[in-house]
Amino acid sequence: MKKIITFIVFVLIVILSAYQFGLVDFLTDIAGLREYLENLGWWGYLIFIVLSIVVAVFLLPGQFLAIVGGLAYGGFIGGLLTVIGASIGASISFVIGKYVARDYILQRFGNDPTFQKIEQGVRDNGLSFLIFTRLVPVFPFAIQSYAYAMTPMSLKKFSLISCLTMMPASFIYAFMASEIAAKGVSLTLLIELTAAGILLALLAYLPKRISKKINRLSSEYKK
């Protein structure tokens, strides 16, 4: 009970502080965040990773971080930093859910349809279900780490699969942002962006196409 109360108070303090001190606005201000990171030099790498971890753990809006990483550091480094931060954040969330705040999460979200579907999906399909939900946006990505913590899945398997499945989108978003910043809008860029969009679509479609099990999951869990 002490762990649960401490965790709840800590989360509330962080979320309220994030709004009170403008962290949420800062995270959604692409131009401002990019300028801030660039001015930090090498320290910006660490700050960017820490921001990614905070966003993942506390479910803050961080959908633009890969784009900011690409703008500030280029496609490769920006994508790499995004993957590192998001992977560490997802793993920390998993550990918190499994070992620190498990009772609270079960009490608070145990009857939630998303949690129940994930638990059932892992029980019936194992790692195939984790790969499916990481590549195909059936459930909100931010809460998946806590939901998977409620299943028998190990931290090692969860962290490895999460990292691998986050790589394609992170690098593509960072690359697209970097290309826009470097070249502006041109016919070549539009072709590259179209190719990147097609690649993302294929990444979501390919597992369903080559696997009967994942194809069945797609139709079942999108209902």
Side-chain angles (χ1 to χ4, degrees):
M1 184 58 64
K2 288 182 180 179
K3 287 183 179 180
I4 294 174
I5 294 174
T6 302
F7 174 74
I8 294 172
V9 172
F10 181 64
V11 169
L12 289 176
I13 290 174
V14 171
I15 293 176
L16 290 174
S17 299
Y19 280 93
Q20 181 68 27
F21 294 103
L23 178 59
V24 172
D25 294 333
F26 178 62
L27 290 171
T28 53
D29 180 6
I30 295 179
L33 184 55
R34 173 194 178 188
E35 182 180 358
Y36 173 76
L37 291 171
E38 287 179 333
N39 291 334
L40 289 175
W42 285 95
W43 279 102
Y45 292 175
L46 179 60
I47 296 297
F48 184 87
I49 292 174
V50 170
L51 283 175
S52 300
I53 294 172
V54 170
V55 163
V57 172
F58 295 101
L59 310 181
L60 297 174
Q63 59 269 35
F64 302 122
L65 282 176
I67 296 174
V68 173
L71 291 173
Y73 302 119
F76 177 74
I77 295 179
L80 181 62
L81 293 175
T82 301
V83 171
I84 292 173
S87 299
I88 295 174
S91 297
I92 292 175
S93 300
F94 185 88
V95 170
I96 291 174
K98 184 173 284 291
Y99 302 109
V100 179
R102 182 179 179 85
D103 292 340
Y104 167 73
I105 293 175
L106 284 174
Q107 181 180 358
R108 177 66 177 82
F109 300 106
N111 295 323
D112 184 272
T114 297
F115 272 60
Q116 292 179 345
K117 285 185 176 182
I118 289 177
E119 184 178 12
Q120 181 67 37
V122 172
R123 186 163 54 247
D124 294 344
N125 304 280
L127 286 178
S128 297
F129 191 76
L130 174 59
I131 296 171
F132 163 70
T133 55
R134 284 315 208 195
L135 290 175
V136 184
V138 177
F139 305 122
F141 187 85
I143 69 170
Q144 286 187 33
S145 301
Y146 289 104
Y148 279 110
M150 301 299 103
T151 72
M153 185 174 296
S154 68
L155 173 62
K156 181 179 179 180
K157 290 181 179 179
F158 173 81
S159 299
L160 178 60
I161 297 300
S162 293
C163 179
L164 293 175
T165 52
M166 281 191 283
M167 281 184 179
S170 296
F171 278 104
I172 287 175
Y173 290 143
F175 169 77
M176 291 166 60
S178 176
E179 289 294 289
I180 292 175
K183 301 178 182 179
V185 179
S186 64
L187 178 60
T188 301
L189 177 62
L190 292 176
I191 294 174
E192 291 176 348
L193 294 180
T194 301
I198 293 173
L199 178 58
L200 280 175
L202 287 175
L203 287 172
Y205 177 74
L206 187 60
K208 297 186 293 181
R209 182 65 178 175
I210 64 177
S211 171
K212 293 182 179 179
K213 178 182 289 187
I214 293 182
N215 191 36
R216 176 180 59 79
L217 289 173
S218 178
S219 60
E220 178 179 350
Y221 285 90
K222 282 188 176 181
K223 293 180 180 178

